[in-house]
Amino acid sequence: MENIKTAVQKFEMLVKEQLERVEKLKSQTDFVDYKRLDKIIIGVCGGDGIGPVITGEAKRILEFLLKEKVKNGKVVFKTIDGLTIENRAKAGKAIPDDVLAQLKQCHVILKGPTTTPRQGDEWPNIESANVAMRKELDLFANMRPVKVLDQGIDWTFFRENTEGAYALGSKGMHVTEDMGIDFTVTTTQGTQRIARLAYEYAKNNGKERVSIITKANVVKTTDGKFLNLCREIAEEYPDIITDDWYIDILAAKLIDTKRRTDFRVFVLPNLYGDIITDEAAEFQGGVGTAGSANIGKRYAMFEAIHGSAPRMMEEGRGNYANPCSMLRASVMLLNHIGEHPAAERLENALDKCMYTEKKLEITGRTGGATCTEFGEYVIKNL
């Protein structure tokens, strides 16, 4: 009985914490208007593993594209160190306080991969830096595009970033030595804002379909709430086709050559979005080719969708890391702050270097191009 009382007390604490978060969501203001800022501060946070390698190359190319804005002080790059696993473990926090303070001084952040400890690792059980950053900066929307035009694939995923299974992922409990419990959470405010962002994107970019993805037939309370709220938002956009799919059958249909070309925009809870976007990235060459935007109303963070690849560093292959994921994320960053011509230049150069011309190839090993060599190749094609 004592174990049950302890579990109930912890659950009560988590519920109160989430209810406080809901009240904060109710008082949110609108998105930042970058056109009205005197200067835009771009934080560059390398993370660890191959993160500093690929992030440094992306920064170099962004500085090249924005050199006039940097020269006249309209754009400022701020390098933020200290998000390594060693520093985070020493501080005992997912994001050390001094690093978080620096991140909050920026408007947008280009972030390299970070290592997340697993059960049994040498590191303490600290939360994922990504999850913590999304919560601390309220980056509620994870946007991941995937395009393979010769196969008719043109997908954009809107993954809810601050709720679902990941919101409380480090706050589960072992009720007894035989049973562990984790939690998931879905709120009205959190779901409505991700759904509306997905439908606004579809409307503004000529996308004719939005697909709502859940497992509401089994996870009836939280996934059911997500599905019903998304359907309500869909009613505000009668010109857009709305359908809904269970996550397991969607995973199958993405490899169905007849069905997959129907999909355009997806909106889905946190865990499902994490998994399915990795599958989707394989169609355009793997997770090393895919970038990701994490969007909030005050801040935005742009990153690769893959991890820190510690094995590459251990084997001395870090300088052969593929920067394309960070460069795709940089395209999204440029678009987000209104630098659309620069974004188009970089996207076209990447398409040429990665797919059409392809004079250099990144293999992750000595037989392929280095990260810097590929970056030079991209710059020559800008």
Side-chain angles (χ1 to χ4, degrees), residues 101-361:
Q102 292 180 72
L103 291 169
K104 288 184 175 181
Q105 294 169 5
C106 306
H107 297 103
V108 294
I109 299 153
L110 186 69
K111 177 194 160 294
T114 48
T115 301
T116 301
R118 298 175 298 179
Q119 187 71 32
D121 281 353
E122 60 181 299
W123 308 109
N125 181 28
I126 53 176
E127 186 179 37
S128 157
N130 273 11
V131 172
M133 194 178 297
R134 289 163 184 164
K135 287 194 287 188
E136 288 285 350
L137 305 183
D138 197 27
L139 306 175
F140 67 88
N142 184 261
M143 177 183 170
R144 295 183 176 181
V146 172
K147 285 187 180 182
V148 189
L149 297 182
D150 62 350
Q151 296 182 32
I153 293 173
D154 181 8
W155 302 329
T156 306
F157 296 85
F158 282 84
R159 164 193 171 193
E160 203 293 317
N161 239 358
T162 57
E163 300 190 352
Y166 286 7
L168 303 173
S170 63
K171 297 185 179 182
M173 68 183 77
H174 291 282
V175 180
T176 70
E177 64 179 20
D178 298 314
M179 184 176 71
I181 294 178
D182 273 314
F183 302 99
T184 187
V185 61
T186 298
T187 70
T188 298
Q189 292 74 20
T191 304
Q192 286 176 335
R193 65 183 183 175
I194 187 68
R196 184 162 281 111
L197 197 66
Y199 276 93
E200 281 294 307
Y201 174 84
K203 183 183 75 172
N204 295 333
N205 290 274
K207 309 297 183 183
E208 72 278 7
R209 182 185 299 269
V210 173
S211 301
I212 307 164
I213 313 302
T214 66
K215 192 62 178 170
N217 58 331
V218 176
V219 188
K220 296 182 184 294
T221 300
T222 50
D223 277 24
K225 183 179 184 67
F226 188 93
L227 175 59
N228 290 333
L229 288 168
C230 286
R231 282 173 171 166
E232 289 176 9
I233 297 296
E235 292 175 4
E236 301 174 20
Y237 300 84
D239 295 334
I240 296 173
I241 299 166
T242 295
D243 57 13
D244 68 271
W245 295 78
Y246 298 136
I247 183 62
D248 48 351
I249 193 63
L250 176 71
K253 291 304 175 186
L254 290 189
I255 60 173
D256 181 339
T257 56
K258 294 180 180 179
R259 175 64 74 173
R260 70 188 184 201
T261 56
D262 293 340
F263 295 114
R264 287 294 176 264
V265 177
F266 304 80
V267 58
L268 63 178
N270 208 331
L271 175 60
Y272 307 147
D274 190 8
I275 295 168
I276 209 71
T277 51
D278 279 8
E279 179 195 2
E282 285 297 309
F283 289 98
Q284 69 175 20
V287 294
T289 68
S292 170
N294 299 268
I295 300 168
K297 293 191 173 183
R298 167 63 179 85
Y299 301 98
M301 181 264 282
F302 302 83
E303 61 178 344
I305 74 169
H306 57 72
S308 57
R311 186 176 300 170
M312 284 189 73
M313 300 302 291
E314 291 168 6
E315 295 175 357
R317 297 185 288 113
N319 60 325
Y320 289 93
N322 189 339
C324 291
S325 54
M326 292 304 300
L327 295 177
R328 290 291 183 188
S330 298
V331 172
M332 301 173 79
L333 184 154
L334 290 167
N335 274 320
H336 187 74
I337 64 174
E339 295 291 338
H340 303 299
E344 186 175 7
R345 286 177 65 194
L346 180 53
E347 186 166 35
N348 290 340
L350 284 169
D351 287 344
K352 184 177 181 180
C353 295
M354 292 172 67
Y355 304 124
T356 56
E357 187 176 83
K358 206 173 181 181
K359 288 183 178 178
L360 285 182
E361 186 173 2

